[in-house]
């Protein structure tokens, strides 16, 4: 029995690392956003990422992983991620952090809706129920008819769509690309995109010493978070990992209250619960489908 629980325990520890990384990136993004625009934040974040990825590929002698064959798909993926990440960084500077995270959790639900169009996957009744439940939750969080709908809420919600496109294109890439290649093109391409957008007016702000520390944290936390999630998923099933990931929401809510005196409304709590339930229902349905139709699930 202890042997069976050991991988789950290690996976939980990796997810603690992911939660801390995502949360620290949100706080660092808000702090850096006081003196830099989102394009500048993305430029410096990508610069840190390029250094980390290149050092890692060199130390592990893994440069052979980097290929150029799927350059176009890498470009589409990174355009989607770059757009979503910029919108996300803007949102964390103008609305409560818990609200940003709640709307971000609608990404898997957008994947449900977009996968039939982009991946040819079947849209089933349980998927429709999960998507509908999740989007009702998103409406409760956003409160479009109460005067609470603003640019920050809209950018957070739209960022989730671009994150969903990132997930879909990443799924395609992982069928033939290794993680080293994906991370290399992620950081290189987004560094170029960041430089182009941040410097379109001929001016790129140089960060102060204090802001540089936040940028370093953003760059390290971004890579660390995704590495921790990937590692956790290699040790335990998604039905175990995703509920742990949901702990990001109450944690960032507590941090928002403590650090920025943000309020926690009933609508935010209720909408967040609906979004999380919808995501978990979708995961349980996916696991049930794989168990019932193992051959079909494998072919997809």
């Amino acid at each position: 029995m202890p042997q069976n629980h050991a991988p789950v325990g290690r996976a939980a520890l990796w997810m603690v690392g992911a939660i801390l990384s995502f949360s620290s990136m949100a706080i660092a993004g808000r702090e850096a956003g006081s003196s830099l625009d989102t394009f500048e934040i993305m430029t410096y974040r990508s610069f840190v990422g390029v250094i980390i990825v290149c050092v890692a590929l060199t130390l592990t002698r893994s440069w052979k992983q980097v290929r150029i064959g799927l350059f176009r798909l890498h470009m589409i993926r990174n355009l989607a991620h770059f757009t979503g990440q910029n919108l996300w960084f803007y949102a964390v500077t103008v609305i409560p952090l818990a609200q940003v995270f709640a709307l971000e959790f609608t990404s898997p639900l957008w994947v449900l809706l977009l996968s039939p169009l982009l991946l040819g996957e079947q849209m089933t009744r349980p998927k429709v129920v999960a998507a509908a439940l999740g989007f009702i939750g998103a409406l409760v969080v956003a409160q479009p008819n109460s005067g609470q709908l603003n640019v920050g809420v809209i950018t957070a919600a739209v960022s989730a769509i671009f994150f969903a496109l990132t997930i879909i294109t990443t799924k395609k890439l992982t069928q033939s690309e290794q993680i080293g290649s994906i991370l290399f093109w992620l950081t290189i391409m987004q560094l170029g995109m960041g430089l182009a957008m941040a410097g379109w007016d001929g001016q790129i702000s140089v960060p102060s010493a204090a802001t540089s520390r936040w940028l370093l944290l953003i760059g390290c936390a971004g890579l660390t978070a995704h590495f921790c999630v990937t590692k956790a998923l290699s040790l335990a099933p998604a039905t175990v990992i995703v509920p742990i990931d949901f702990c990001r929401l109450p944690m960032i809510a507590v941090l928002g209250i403590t650090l920025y005196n943000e309020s926690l409304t009933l609508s935010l709590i209720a909408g967040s619960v609906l979004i999380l339930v919808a995501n978990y229902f979708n995961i349980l349905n996916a696991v049930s489908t794989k168990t019932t139709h193992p051959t079909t699930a494998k072919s997809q």
Side-chain angles (χ1 to χ4, degrees):
M1 185 68 67
Q3 289 81 357
N4 293 334
H5 286 297
V8 174
R10 292 200 301 272
L13 288 176
W14 281 110
M15 284 308 300
V16 170
I19 291 168
L20 291 174
S21 297
F22 281 124
S23 300
S24 62
M25 187 167 66
I27 294 171
R30 171 168 289 188
E31 295 296 328
S34 63
S35 58
L36 301 174
D37 63 39
T38 60
F39 294 128
E40 291 167 339
I41 293 174
M42 283 296 292
T43 298
Y44 290 115
R45 173 197 169 167
S46 299
F47 179 72
V48 173
V50 167
I51 295 174
I52 294 174
V53 170
C54 288
V55 169
L57 289 173
T58 300
L59 292 178
T60 58
R61 299 180 180 179
S62 302
W63 278 102
K64 61 183 178 182
Q65 292 185 11
V66 179
R67 305 189 310 164
I68 200 170
L70 295 175
F71 186 85
R72 181 182 177 185
L73 187 55
H74 279 290
M75 179 62 75
I76 294 173
R77 175 191 184 273
N78 291 315
L79 276 171
H81 186 267
F82 181 80
T83 305
Q85 196 69 76
N86 272 283
L87 294 171
W88 187 88
F89 274 128
Y90 175 78
V92 299
T93 66
V94 294
I95 63 174
L97 297 176
Q99 197 171 24
V100 177
F101 275 47
L103 293 170
E104 181 190 349
F105 273 121
T106 62
S107 288
L109 307 176
W110 282 107
V111 171
L112 286 183
L113 295 179
L114 294 173
S115 290
L117 299 175
L118 302 178
L119 295 176
E121 295 184 357
Q122 184 179 5
M123 176 60 77
T124 62
R125 182 175 298 176
K127 290 182 179 181
V128 173
V129 171
L133 184 63
F135 288 118
I136 291 173
L139 290 175
V140 173
V141 170
Q143 301 184 68
N145 295 323
S146 66
Q148 298 295 317
L149 188 64
N150 53 48
V151 176
V153 172
I154 293 172
T155 52
V158 175
S159 74
I161 301 175
F162 284 98
F163 286 146
L165 292 171
T166 303
I167 293 170
I168 291 172
T169 49
T170 301
K171 183 174 181 179
K172 283 191 173 185
L173 281 171
T174 53
Q175 294 173 358
S176 57
E177 291 284 88
Q178 293 182 288
I179 187 66
S181 182
I182 293 174
L183 290 178
F184 174 79
W185 290 116
L186 166 72
T187 53
I188 287 290
M189 287 184 176
Q190 294 199 10
L191 176 58
M193 295 172 193
L195 285 170
M197 296 304 297
W200 73 272
D201 58 354
Q203 295 181 345
I204 298 179
S205 300
V206 177
S208 64
T211 303
S212 295
R213 290 193 287 269
W214 292 117
L215 293 172
L216 180 62
L217 178 57
I218 290 171
C220 293
L223 291 175
T224 302
H226 292 290
F227 178 82
C228 287
V229 171
T230 302
K231 189 68 177 178
L233 287 171
S234 71
L235 295 170
T239 48
V240 174
I241 298 306
V242 172
I244 300 175
D245 189 34
F246 289 163
C247 293
R248 273 200 285 149
L249 197 47
M251 180 175 179
I252 202 64
V254 171
L255 289 173
I257 294 170
T258 304
L259 299 177
Y260 303 109
N261 198 31
E262 295 179 349
S263 60
L264 193 60
T265 63
L266 181 60
S267 61
L268 176 58
I269 296 173
S272 299
V273 170
L274 285 173
I275 293 170
L276 302 188
V277 169
N279 276 300
Y280 195 57
F281 174 73
N282 178 53
I283 292 170
L284 291 176
N285 173 65
V287 172
S288 175
T289 301
K290 283 186 177 181
T291 304
T292 308
H293 306 290
T295 304
T296 303
K298 185 176 180 181
S299 65
Q300 293 177 343

